Amino acid sequence: TDRDPMWIGSQVWFASDRTGTLNLFRYDPATKELEQGTQSTQWDVRWPSASADGRIVYELGGELVIFDPRTKSST
């Protein structure tokens, strides 16, 4: 399942369960490169939404998490 697409700059970020649980992935239409952004194995990355400053907020295990695509880090 690929769902919840979000344009951030020239990249498309979306949630996918291609690794068994829903995680964030980045797709670059120019190069057709696909990269996994989050590495959750226990909980699904749910309801991702992009902010005006390019970060993604999502729900993970009942808590809100902020993912920064520039640094590939979550807080």
Side-chain angles (χ1 to χ4, degrees):
T1 305
D2 296 333
R3 52 185 284 174
D4 306 314
M6 302 158 282
W7 280 101
I8 298 178
S10 62
Q11 313 291 303
V12 179
W13 284 86
F14 61 97
S16 178
D17 64 357
R18 62 187 66 209
T19 60
T21 56
L22 283 170
N23 276 288
L24 291 175
F25 285 81
R26 177 190 62 84
Y27 176 70
D28 185 333
T31 64
K32 301 188 182 343
E33 178 185 7
L34 183 68
E35 177 185 24
Q36 187 171 347
T38 58
Q39 308 293 325
S40 179
T41 58
Q42 182 177 10
W43 303 102
D44 286 335
V45 168
R46 311 280 280 159
W47 321 117
S49 182
S51 67
D53 67 357
R55 295 182 297 168
I56 299 171
V57 65
Y58 60 90
E59 184 262 327
L60 184 71
E63 297 184 4
L64 291 177
V65 179
I66 298 172
F67 177 77
D68 188 338
R70 293 174 294 268
T71 62
K72 310 284 190 303
S73 63
S74 296
T75 55

